[in-house]
């Protein structure tokens, strides 16, 4: 099969970008979308043209590095699948496929289809961790965790931080990502001591990065390759409200000495 | 206090403000509808209700100022959020991403703005009673004798005459339709914004939003629809109409003069009363 690619080309964030059309060489329908880009790039390189820059790493749907908005949908046409596991059999011979980078102020463009997603790292640095060492895997049931909490925490922990939620949201909001990270630790016993400080710190950093707010449209959960749901955003909102009601910690006389 | 301020300055805090003011406005809509549905009773019912409200200025003005504050917070927060949300994506997509989101959620700003325009018109129409915008005449002249023997405003005749005008009834119906759209998304989302949602409650909340917004639509739209179709009040309105006809203001076209003359009349009456004291 062959397709026509309409790809966003931009040298760097200081020069304006444009769409360029490429006719692909002969393709195998069982190629992944990224393998198709590899073939196109090889073809471009052999003709002395600049290859298309795109992000990729594990190519098995667990690292969160690949991105791309394919025909207006982050990670392509399927539900619960990242770009690297989107295959050409999902398209028809002769299709025109429009490929754009993730677009958000907080994700500045680096080149072509590559954007800088360090804003997510900075949100994680603000509170997406447990300060004390939690040790090596403990004996089973040494710390009791209700099965329901473990399941929910696992659902949230599936977030690979790819940023598709931001790319899909009409407000470029990062709430689904932050909610997943807040809930993942907030549902487990090890995460309790810093639960409310964590949600405040991460939301503060999220706002500072210039992401939008949530309008509950549900686009984020529709594109999330790990199918994280809007319920987690409600959980984050709940924790944020509880954090306000709890207030700042009591001042300790003598500085706690 | 500082934590309060930083809370309501954050993106999540602003959504809390939208949700809390939204709930209060929703409660007002229910109360207002119950009051208005008295139009389906005899004329004395709603006239006495209106008279009762006007005899409690503290209650009425307290409610009006409270509502003004709530609406003000709801709109100014929405404006801030809209600005921030637009800034969050400076370069638009070539293919607009429209999947997974309900159409109601994408038209909250549009429906909200039309509802705002409606509120301004509604206040001018039935609260400030500006003549010239209602297509009928000066509603201030409509008077009736209440069962208690007192003179009072004939609110029943005012509403019936008001909605017998086709474009007024149509505007009210369009506004109710958009309120239905606005609430269809807003009523479900306010639970999300305040954190009251999980996999158990999400479908129940969706049903509540659908049911409550539909109930309000039916209730509110029934009034102008029933009146325009002459199902209620037509004979009463016919009898009350003569009070408008004695208007010395002449043709009922909109002009500053006709708009202000009743105000002036009221003012002179007030000052007359003051002088009499």
């Amino acid at each position: 099969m062959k397709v026509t690619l309409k790809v966003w080309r931009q040298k760097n964030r200081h020069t304006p970008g444009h769409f360029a059309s490429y006719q692909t060489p002969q393709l195998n329908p069982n190629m992944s979308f990224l393998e198709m880009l590899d073939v196109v790039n090889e073809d471009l390189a052999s003709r002395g043209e600049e290859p298309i820059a795109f992000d990729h790493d594990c190519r098995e749907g667990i690292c969160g590095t690949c991105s791309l908005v394919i025909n207006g949908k982050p990670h392509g046409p399927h539900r619960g699948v990242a770009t690297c596991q989107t295959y050409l059999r999902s398209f028809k011979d002769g299709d025109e496929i429009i490929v754009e980078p993730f677009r958000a102020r907080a994700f500045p463009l680096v080149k072509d289809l590559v954007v800088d997603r360090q804003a997510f790292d900075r949100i994680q640095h603000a509170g997406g961790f447990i300060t004390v060492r939690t040790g090596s895997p403990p004996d089973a049931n040494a710390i009791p965790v209700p099965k329901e909490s473990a399941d929910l925490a696992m659902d949230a922990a599936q977030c690979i931080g790819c940023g598709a939620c931001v790319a899909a949201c009409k407000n470029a909001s990062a709430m689904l990502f932050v909610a997943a990270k807040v809930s993942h630790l907030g549902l487990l016993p090890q995460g309790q001591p810093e639960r409310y400080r964590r949600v405040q710190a991460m939301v503060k950093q999220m706002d500072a990065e210039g992401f939008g707010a949530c309008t509950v449209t549900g686009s984020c959960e529709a594109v999330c390759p790990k199918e994280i749901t809007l319920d987690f955003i409600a959980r984050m909102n709940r924790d944020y409200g509880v954090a306000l009601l709890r207030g700042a910690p009591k001042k300790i006389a003598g500085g706690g000495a | 206090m500082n934590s309060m301020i930083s809370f309501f300055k954050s993106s999540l805090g602003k959504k809390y403000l939208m949700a809390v003011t939204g709930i209060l406005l929703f409660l007002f809509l229910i109360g207002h509808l119950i009051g208005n549905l008295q139009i389906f009773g005899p004329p004395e019912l709603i006239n006495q209700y209106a008279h009762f409200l006007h005899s409690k200025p503290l209650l009425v003005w307290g409610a009006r100022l409270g509502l003004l504050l709530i609406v003000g917070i709801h709109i100014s927060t929405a404006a801030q959020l809209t600005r921030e949300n637009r800034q969050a994506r400076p370069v638009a997509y070539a293919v607009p991403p429209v999947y997974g989101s309900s159409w109601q959620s994408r038209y909250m700003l549009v429906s909200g703005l039309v509802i705002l325009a409606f509120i301004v018109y509604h206040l001018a129409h039935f609260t400030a009673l500006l003549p010239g915008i209602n297509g009928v005449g000066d509603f201030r002249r409509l008077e009736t004798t209440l069962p208690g023997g007192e003179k009072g405003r004939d609110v029943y005749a005012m509403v019936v005459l008001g909605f017998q005008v086709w474009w007024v009834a149509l505007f009210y119906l369009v506004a109710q339709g958009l309120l239905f759209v606005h609430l269809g998304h807003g009523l479900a989302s306010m639970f999300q914004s305040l954190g009251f949602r999980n996999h158990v409650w999400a479908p129940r909340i969706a049903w509540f939003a659908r049911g409550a917004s539909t109930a309000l639509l039916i209730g509110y739209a029934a009034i102008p629809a029933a009146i325009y179709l002459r199902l209620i009040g037509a004979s009463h309105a016919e009898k009350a109409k003569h009070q408008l006809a004695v208007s010395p203001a002449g043709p009922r076209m909109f002009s500053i003069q006709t708009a202000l003359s009743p105000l002036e009349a009221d003012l002179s009456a007030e000052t007359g009363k003051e002088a009499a004291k």
Side-chain angles (χ1 to χ4, degrees):
Chain A
M1 67 184 285
K2 281 185 181 182
V3 295
T4 310
L5 282 186
K6 198 174 153 196
V7 184
W8 184 259
R9 302 302 308 260
Q10 189 168 350
K11 199 163 172 236
N12 54 47
R13 77 187 61 144
H14 307 295
T15 48
H18 63 278
F19 278 103
S21 280
Y22 301 101
Q23 183 67 47
T24 65
Q26 195 63 35
L27 304 164
N28 182 326
N30 295 321
M31 278 177 175
S32 78
F33 202 83
L34 299 183
E35 283 167 335
M36 179 269 288
L37 287 176
D38 290 337
V39 170
V40 170
N41 274 347
E42 224 168 284
D43 186 49
L44 286 176
S46 70
R47 286 191 276 130
E49 281 183 57
E50 180 78 11
I52 304 160
F54 63 95
D55 266 326
H56 59 100
D57 190 13
C58 76
R59 299 201 179 200
E60 55 185 9
I62 55 157
C63 77
T65 309
C66 61
S67 55
L68 308 186
V69 175
I70 301 164
N71 288 338
K73 193 157 180 280
H75 289 308
H78 295 298
R79 229 188 148 87
V81 169
T83 296
C84 58
Q85 296 192 303
T86 298
Y87 296 94
L88 289 187
R89 53 181 176 264
S90 308
F91 302 91
K92 286 195 298 287
D93 187 29
D95 272 0
E96 187 193 51
I97 305 173
I98 301 171
V99 189
E100 296 174 81
F102 283 1
R103 298 218 188 265
R105 182 162 66 120
F107 287 168
L109 192 126
V110 177
K111 187 182 180 183
D112 295 342
L113 303 171
V114 179
V115 295
D116 178 353
R117 284 170 281 180
Q118 284 183 69
F120 271 14
D121 297 337
R122 289 188 291 269
I123 293 172
Q124 281 286 65
H125 295 168
F129 53 86
I130 290 163
T131 308
V132 295
R133 218 179 98 73
T134 51
S136 48
D139 285 344
N141 302 328
I143 305 168
V145 182
K147 173 81 166 76
E148 304 80 53
S149 301
D151 287 348
L152 268 183
M154 197 56 219
D155 284 350
Q158 286 213 66
C159 171
I160 51 178
C162 64
C165 44
V166 175
C169 177
K170 77 177 180 68
N171 307 328
S173 170
M175 295 236 183
L176 195 68
F177 165 76
V178 179
K181 296 304 174 193
V182 162
S183 304
H184 155 211
L185 296 175
L187 277 158
L188 295 173
Q190 294 89 338
Q192 294 311 308
E194 294 167 299
R195 179 171 174 183
Y196 297 103
R197 202 198 308 169
R198 175 181 306 116
V199 67
Q200 284 179 318
M202 291 181 81
V203 168
K204 195 175 166 197
Q205 188 62 36
M206 171 180 83
D207 287 346
E209 296 290 350
F211 293 106
C214 177
T215 322
V216 205
T217 65
S219 321
C220 54
E221 66 173 6
V223 303
C224 177
K226 297 298 159 188
E227 301 188 293
I228 289 163
T229 63
L230 280 180
D231 294 349
F232 288 109
I233 299 184
R235 178 175 285 278
M236 171 178 70
N237 291 342
R238 191 154 68 234
D239 276 7
Y240 196 69
V242 172
L244 173 79
L245 294 178
R246 289 164 62 104
K250 196 174 153 193
K251 290 259 186 325
I252 300 160
Chain B
M1 199 58 209
N2 270 340
S3 61
M4 273 293 212
I5 292 168
S6 65
F7 180 88
F8 288 115
K9 274 187 170 173
S10 72
S11 55
L12 266 63
K14 283 181 202 138
K15 297 306 291 195
Y16 265 77
L17 278 182
M18 290 303 287
V20 170
T21 51
I23 289 172
L24 294 173
L25 291 172
F26 170 62
L27 293 177
F28 166 75
L29 283 176
I30 296 174
H32 191 52
L33 177 62
I34 293 169
N36 289 355
L37 285 178
Q38 297 178 73
I39 196 80
F40 288 102
E44 295 78 36
L45 188 67
I46 199 161
N47 284 343
Q48 257 185 320
Y49 172 67
H51 187 69
F52 163 76
L53 287 183
H54 280 286
S55 65
K56 305 264 181 294
L58 210 64
L59 180 91
V60 169
W61 279 101
R64 283 175 181 169
L65 291 177
L67 278 169
L68 188 70
L69 183 73
I70 293 166
V71 170
I73 294 174
H74 197 73
I75 293 173
S76 66
T77 312
Q80 282 179 50
L81 281 165
T82 306
R83 198 181 57 233
E84 286 164 14
N85 290 344
R86 296 232 165 119
Q87 283 169 351
R89 173 161 298 132
V91 185
Y93 287 111
V95 186
V98 281
Y99 38 79
S101 62
S102 64
W103 62 274
Q104 290 100 321
S105 69
R106 295 196 297 272
Y107 290 99
M108 287 304 272
L109 185 69
V110 178
S111 54
L113 284 175
V114 176
I115 292 164
L116 175 65
F118 167 75
I119 292 172
V120 172
Y121 180 78
H122 184 49
L123 287 176
H125 191 206
F126 283 152
T127 305
L129 302 180
L130 293 183
I133 59 157
N134 55 33
V136 184
D138 187 359
F139 285 152
R140 284 158 185 265
R141 292 209 169 77
L142 295 170
E143 272 198 336
T144 185
T145 312
L146 295 164
E150 290 173 273
K151 282 266 178 195
R153 282 248 162 80
D154 195 349
V155 173
Y156 187 86
M158 177 182 83
V159 173
V160 172
L161 288 170
F163 288 145
Q164 284 183 347
V165 182
W166 70 268
W167 54 268
V168 173
L170 183 69
F171 182 41
Y172 271 68
L173 288 176
V174 168
Q176 294 317 323
L178 283 160
L179 180 69
F180 168 71
V181 171
H182 200 75
L183 288 178
H185 180 72
L187 287 180
S189 296
M190 64 193 189
F191 289 94
Q192 169 84 0
S193 294
L194 294 173
F196 293 106
R197 186 189 136 129
N198 61 16
H199 67 283
V200 179
W201 281 91
R204 295 175 189 173
I205 289 166
W207 274 108
F208 162 75
R210 230 168 287 158
S213 56
T214 310
L216 283 178
L217 173 71
I218 293 171
Y220 273 116
I223 298 168
I227 290 171
Y228 183 73
L229 296 173
R230 306 298 192 269
L231 295 177
I232 52 166
S235 58
H236 181 90
E238 213 46 56
K239 272 183 265 165
K241 226 174 186 169
H242 73 274
Q243 297 179 34
L244 296 170
V246 296
S247 159
R252 285 173 207 111
M253 299 280 281
F254 182 77
S255 75
I256 294 294
Q257 214 112 57
T258 51
L260 290 181
S261 60
L263 291 173
E264 279 165 8
D266 252 31
L267 277 176
S268 54
E270 289 288 316
T271 44
K273 258 188 256 167
E274 289 292 314
K277 273 184 199 164

